[in-house]
Amino acid sequence: MRRLLLLLAPIWLLFGAGPAAADDIGATARGVVRVVTIAVVDGQVVGFGHGSGVAIAPNRIVTNAHVMELAERYPDNVVIGVVPSEGDKSYQGRVVAYDAKRDLALIEFAGARLPPAALYTGPVGEGDAVIALGYPGNVDLATAQSAADYIRPTSPVRSEGVFSGRRSLTGTEVLLHTANIARGNSGGPLLDRCGRVIGINSAITRGEEGDGSFGFAIADTELAAFLREAKQPYVAVGTPCTSIEERLRDDSEADVRARTDALTRQRDAATHAEIDREEALARARQAAQTRRENVMGVAGLLLVLGAMGVGAAALCAIQRRRRAALWAGGIGGLTMIVAIVVFVLRPAAEPTHPPVSVVVSQSVPNAPLGKLVCTFQPDRSRVTVSPTSDVALRWGRSGCAGGVQYLPTADRWERVVVPDQEQTVSVVTFDPVTRRYTDTRYMLGAQAMAQVRKQQAQADQGKASQCTVDPAAIERIAQQQAAIRALLPPLPNEKLVYNCHAG
């Protein structure tokens, strides 16, 4: 047996260390904990228990009420330990809500922030795949070397099965399933294949005389009611589970269609605008020609009047009417000079300010759009744990959004975002043509997240977030973003798509 364990150790270390890839179940596993209870009376350990739990908020976990049995028996003499699946520390917790009938308890702890899981509120069909995460006691007995191993962070054990229907157990709705669980799995989550919580594992049937064993999980309906009564907010997701590969493929095709439609509408609008321009230009030319002809007509008329004045002056001179001849000659000559000036200054045949042509460019638009409100599109998205509330976006010129510089990539703008409080990296894109905002999210383990934050810190030293149009600064940002992208898994966990409109 020892030799077998030594042979399996490299495989186990590779699996347990693993932030190399971020699958959906692994993403939820980051928030799964071991719950340890130790009762001490008069300096003596009189009880020890352990189970599992899952984060429903960064500092709160849900587990079974019966995992807290020692806390009920020895209310003033029990230490509750919360042992995360990652890191190198465990934390002390306290019970903040307890429901013995539903077999659920809510524990609060301080000192760390865990990635919360999401509760799936959609339908689960019989035969659907389910996954249990937790710390089964039989695995602990086989691997633990000392009591300290129970408070050392370790990745949870996963087991797969199928959903076998809803049942009632002592008046509480439960989910019957075939995922292998054991003592110690109590309080751990039962998940759908997208990593959303559909129940809290609570009990197993006994397999006697070759009978198979089944697991019972407190149903999602009971869990949601318990959290509401405890006034505990939680993330709820109701969208069906689809593979990320399918979502990316379908969304890519939809993106192409949406952008093609948007560009077609722009070209149609530009065509109509160009037609309107040509019509306006024709009208302007006609108006200019009419003005020119009118002015030339006035000049001709003045020339005729001036000639008549000169003729009248000549006639007066013959009649020896000197004074009249001078007046008629002066007026006639002046009129002819005015006619010449009017003719020389006649308007041009072409309009001086023709309408401007409309040009449609397929490059990345850099015009400011101002304040936008982006609304979540569930039919275009894949969500496992993230909230889907509206996103406010202030889009400026040349990819500047809220003081953060986005980078042009093909036909849109892109930015890698590393939040301070989440174990998630987002690749955010915005298409000004379709006004589509997309948040592609990678849920990483602690080790991978530390590497990303280290790279981000180096980027921040160069003030890489500030908006700029300097080519050298843009190149530095691109290099820093590429370095972060190189640390991400090949596929994301989520893709959240939003349609934006003027706010």
Side-chain angles (χ1 to χ4, degrees):
M1 173 63 73
R2 181 177 180 85
R3 181 177 298 175
L4 179 61
L5 290 175
L6 289 174
L7 289 173
L8 290 176
I11 300 175
W12 171 256
L13 289 174
L14 179 63
F15 176 79
D23 65 295
D24 296 328
I25 306 305
T28 304
R30 302 171 306 164
V32 175
V33 302
R34 187 199 300 271
V35 180
V36 178
T37 55
I38 304 173
V40 180
V41 178
D42 297 330
Q44 299 292 323
V45 175
V46 297
F48 174 83
H50 74 96
S52 305
V54 61
I56 207 72
N59 66 332
R60 288 191 170 184
I61 64 168
V62 171
T63 187
N64 284 144
H66 73 257
V67 174
M68 296 290 102
E69 179 185 0
L70 286 178
E72 287 295 297
R73 193 187 311 171
Y74 305 98
D76 299 323
N77 301 90
V78 169
V79 175
I80 301 173
V82 176
V83 187
S85 60
E86 298 181 312
D88 55 6
K89 294 182 180 179
S90 56
Y91 305 90
Q92 186 169 340
R94 65 184 184 91
V95 177
V96 294
Y98 185 89
D99 189 332
K101 183 177 184 302
R102 290 194 177 101
D103 194 19
L104 292 172
L106 186 64
I107 300 175
E108 184 179 76
F109 66 97
R113 291 176 61 87
L114 296 179
L119 180 61
Y120 178 57
T121 57
V124 182
E126 293 191 15
D128 285 355
V130 295
I131 299 93
L133 287 178
Y135 295 91
N138 50 9
V139 174
D140 290 332
L141 290 174
T143 58
Q145 303 298 316
S146 66
D149 290 328
Y150 285 90
I151 57 173
R152 183 178 295 114
T154 309
S155 59
V157 177
R158 73 172 76 181
S159 60
E160 299 181 6
V162 297
F163 173 62
S164 301
R166 293 179 180 265
R167 299 289 189 273
S168 178
L169 191 65
T170 62
T172 299
E173 186 178 22
V174 295
L175 308 180
L176 184 64
H177 64 87
T178 63
N180 288 326
I181 58 174
R183 293 181 179 88
N185 276 105
S186 293
L190 184 68
L191 312 173
D192 70 356
R193 58 189 177 90
C194 278
R196 288 89 64 93
V197 177
I198 60 174
I200 300 296
N201 285 309
S202 177
I204 56 174
T205 61
R206 292 181 178 179
E208 298 178 351
E209 298 181 359
D211 292 341
S213 62
F214 290 85
F216 293 99
I218 307 300
D220 52 331
T221 52
E222 303 283 2
L223 175 58
F226 168 72
L227 294 174
R228 286 195 299 270
E229 291 172 9
K231 295 181 172 56
Q232 174 58 54
Y234 60 92
V235 177
V237 177
T239 55
C241 180
T242 57
S243 70
I244 188 62
E245 294 89 348
E246 179 183 356
R247 178 73 277 156
L248 291 175
R249 183 185 65 249
D250 293 347
D251 201 44
S252 177
E253 295 171 355
D255 265 346
V256 172
R257 290 194 299 269
R259 189 168 180 84
T260 301
D261 291 344
L263 289 173
T264 299
R265 288 193 297 270
Q266 283 193 357
R267 280 192 290 267
D268 290 344
T271 300
H272 289 303
E274 191 63 25
I275 292 173
D276 292 342
R277 175 187 174 277
E278 291 296 333
E279 292 177 351
L281 183 58
R283 291 192 297 269
R285 283 173 176 164
Q286 182 63 42
Q289 187 66 31
T290 301
R291 286 194 301 271
R292 180 183 175 87
E293 292 174 354
N294 289 340
V295 170
M296 291 173 65
V298 170
L301 178 61
L302 291 175
L303 187 62
V304 171
L305 293 175
M308 292 176 63
V310 172
L315 181 61
C316 290
I318 293 172
Q319 297 175 354
R320 300 183 182 277
R321 297 165 53 194
R322 183 178 179 81
R323 187 177 183 83
L326 290 174
W327 276 103
I331 294 173
L334 181 61
T335 302
M336 293 179 71
I337 292 172
V338 171
I340 293 171
V341 171
V342 170
F343 181 81
V344 171
L345 298 179
R346 67 192 183 280
E350 291 293 326
T352 55
H353 299 289
V356 179
S357 296
V358 178
V359 178
V360 177
S361 173
Q362 295 195 21
S363 61
V364 183
N366 64 2
L369 298 177
K371 185 178 179 181
L372 302 173
V373 175
C374 304
T375 306
F376 179 67
Q377 303 296 301
D379 58 320
R380 295 285 308 276
S381 303
R382 183 182 194 263
V383 185
T384 57
V385 298
S386 297
T388 57
S389 53
D390 290 350
V391 173
L393 184 67
R394 184 177 293 278
W395 192 258
R397 184 175 297 278
S398 301
C400 179
V404 176
Q405 181 62 54
Y406 283 59
L407 300 178
T409 57
D411 54 5
R412 65 200 68 194
W413 298 89
E414 181 179 282
R415 181 74 189 189
V416 179
V417 179
V418 183
D420 293 331
Q421 301 295 330
E422 295 182 45
Q423 280 187 229
T424 301
V425 176
S426 291
V427 178
V428 179
T429 60
F430 179 68
D431 187 345
V433 174
T434 60
R435 296 198 178 186
R436 182 150 291 148
Y437 176 87
T438 303
D439 184 357
T440 304
R441 297 169 65 83
Y442 297 79
M443 299 174 186
L444 306 183
Q447 180 181 342
M449 203 68 209
Q451 294 175 348
V452 169
R453 288 210 166 98
K454 181 179 178 180
Q455 185 63 48
Q456 177 69 15
Q458 295 174 358
D460 287 344
Q461 288 178 2
K463 300 181 180 180
S465 296
Q466 294 183 357
C467 291
T468 179
V469 293
D470 177 30
I474 293 292
E475 178 61 26
R476 285 195 298 271
I477 296 174
Q479 292 175 358
Q480 292 155 353
Q481 299 281 280
I484 296 175
R485 290 292 298 263
L487 299 174
L488 301 180
L491 292 174
N493 294 90
E494 296 183 325
K495 185 171 185 180
L496 282 62
V497 179
Y498 302 79
N499 278 343
C500 303
H501 54 86

